[in-house]
Amino acid sequence: MGYKIHFAAWAHIFALPCAIVDDYLTEASGDAVKILLLIFRNQDKHLTEKQIASRLMLDEQAVREAIAYWTARGLLLQDGSEIRAEADSVQVHKNNPPQAGEIPTEELAARIQSSADFRFLAEEAGNLLGHPLTSTEAKYLLYISDSIRLPADVILMCIDYCVKIGKPGIRYISKVCETWAELGINTHETAELYLKKQLLRNQNEREVKTCFGIFDRNLTAKEQQYIEKWYTDYHYKLNMIRLAYERTIDSIGKMSFPYIDRILSDWHAKGFVVPRDISEQAPPKKSGTGNAKSADTSYDIDAFDRIELKVRDMMK
């Protein structure tokens, strides 16, 4: 069954960059997309972070992170406290980026005809993507090869990585190649090391999202930083992160990355490495009822939990 456009709803419209759908629709979080739509709808009003947060009923920190995300991708400009849509972004992204779009079809055909190396690259790229390259994809591949100047094996490694993370769009692949070139990832060895770290990071993030029950959105940049710290700096495995998550739910009744981070940071400072370390540090239960203290006081943050709950009850 197809879908028809309801043209009566087109009485009032506004323009959006095609890149939002082509490159970022599956990458950006739902809140980030909502924030961008609101900003483009109100281009003449120069909204502030506070106004956006109030309008969408979001935390201001989430708004700041979304704005930083879109600003880094050239779709927003920030002038002091005001945020506005980048004036050139609609035009720039309306068609192919100039570097790839300016390649004439005749030039592409000539390169395919004359260069065995490029034909091999195009064939292998098509195998990784699961289909023969379209004209647009081939132009982007030629741009990556000639303008970004990455070796063929590195380009293919980048394409394979993007396919594995579920982002096989040629525009996204081109942007990743540009980033690799800027970071100096231009040899097989450096690409292999980078991919190993990235794939491990992606695996860690998937584990935490599943553990925390996050299935309907992408992680924010701050949440990714927390996870990176837990795995890389603290060297914790998922069993410790899960235990901190469970303690958080028991204490405040909801999932909170900052709260979980406080628990894990406290455990790390005390030298706790595995769950057994925590249970061994727990004091023995005291007999009796009434005002007896809880036996679950194995880390300092418990005292803070009780005070916080008392204050919350007093405020009701």
Side-chain angles (χ1 to χ4, degrees):
M1 182 181 70
Y3 296 92
K4 295 182 179 180
I5 296 174
H6 188 250
F7 288 99
W10 283 56
H12 301 284
I13 62 174
F14 63 97
L16 285 171
C18 291
I20 296 174
V21 175
D22 295 341
D23 301 334
Y24 304 119
L25 197 60
T26 57
E27 174 187 330
S29 68
D31 285 344
V33 173
K34 287 194 293 185
I35 289 166
L36 189 69
L37 289 175
L38 181 65
I39 293 171
F40 270 86
R41 174 64 181 87
N42 297 274
Q43 292 186 48
D44 58 330
K45 296 181 181 179
H46 294 184
L47 300 173
T48 65
E49 294 173 354
K50 186 174 182 179
Q51 289 171 327
I52 295 170
S54 176
R55 177 75 177 273
L56 297 177
M57 293 184 290
L58 295 172
D59 184 83
E60 285 190 42
Q61 179 60 29
V63 175
R64 283 191 289 273
E65 291 177 357
I67 289 170
Y69 173 86
W70 293 120
T71 300
R73 284 152 182 79
L75 294 173
L76 293 181
L77 287 175
Q78 190 161 7
D79 183 11
S81 63
E82 294 182 343
I83 304 100
R84 65 179 186 275
E86 164 59 72
D88 294 332
S89 63
V90 177
Q91 181 64 32
V92 169
H93 296 282
K94 188 172 184 180
N95 299 302
N96 294 333
Q99 299 93 331
E102 289 175 355
I103 299 176
T105 303
E106 296 79 9
E107 180 181 336
L108 173 64
R111 178 63 70 87
I112 294 174
Q113 181 68 26
S114 64
S115 174
D117 289 341
F118 185 73
R119 285 199 304 273
F120 171 79
L121 176 61
E123 182 179 347
E124 291 301 309
N127 290 336
L128 291 172
L129 293 173
H131 62 263
L133 297 186
T134 65
S135 175
T136 298
E137 289 172 333
K139 287 182 179 180
Y140 269 95
L141 190 64
L142 184 57
Y143 162 70
I144 294 168
S145 178
D146 287 1
S147 299
I148 302 178
R149 296 185 178 278
L150 287 179
D153 60 335
V154 176
I155 295 173
L156 294 174
M157 292 172 77
C158 181
I159 294 174
D160 184 53
Y161 167 71
C162 292
V163 170
K164 285 180 177 177
I165 64 173
K167 298 176 181 178
I170 193 62
R171 292 177 179 84
Y172 183 84
I173 291 170
S174 177
K175 293 180 186 301
V176 174
C177 285
E178 288 177 348
T179 300
W180 282 22
E182 292 170 0
L183 295 174
I185 304 171
N186 49 22
T187 66
H188 188 92
E189 292 74 18
T190 55
E192 195 172 50
L193 179 61
Y194 175 81
L195 287 176
K196 184 178 179 180
K197 291 181 178 178
Q198 283 298 111
L199 291 173
L200 179 60
R201 179 182 178 186
N202 292 338
Q203 177 184 326
N204 293 340
E205 291 178 359
R206 285 195 300 271
E207 285 183 350
V208 171
K209 285 182 69 176
T210 301
C211 177
F212 292 2
I214 302 174
F215 303 109
D216 58 348
R217 66 173 180 84
N218 293 324
L219 295 170
T220 67
K222 185 64 176 177
E223 290 170 342
Q224 290 174 333
Q225 290 170 10
Y226 280 132
I227 295 172
E228 181 75 9
K229 178 170 68 171
W230 301 338
Y231 279 96
T232 304
D233 297 345
Y234 295 171
H235 301 289
Y236 278 146
K237 296 185 182 298
L238 185 63
N239 57 358
M240 288 290 280
I241 297 172
R242 180 184 291 111
L243 183 57
Y245 165 78
E246 291 170 352
R247 294 287 178 94
T248 298
I249 297 298
D250 290 342
S251 296
I252 63 175
K254 64 178 181 179
M255 190 275 292
S256 167
F257 272 86
Y259 201 96
I260 294 169
D261 182 64
R262 289 213 306 271
I263 295 175
L264 291 173
S265 296
D266 181 70
W267 289 347
H268 177 70
K270 292 179 177 178
F272 296 164
V273 178
V274 294
R276 183 178 63 254
D277 296 334
I278 301 166
S279 62
E280 289 177 351
Q281 291 294 322
K285 289 186 177 181
K286 294 183 178 181
S287 60
T289 58
N291 295 325
K293 293 182 179 179
S294 169
D296 188 16
T297 55
S298 59
Y299 52 96
D300 295 341
I301 203 170
D302 285 347
F304 175 82
D305 293 343
R306 291 191 293 274
I307 295 172
E308 186 177 48
L309 289 172
K310 288 180 180 179
V311 171
R312 190 186 306 162
D313 291 338
M314 293 171 63
M315 296 295 290
K316 290 181 179 179

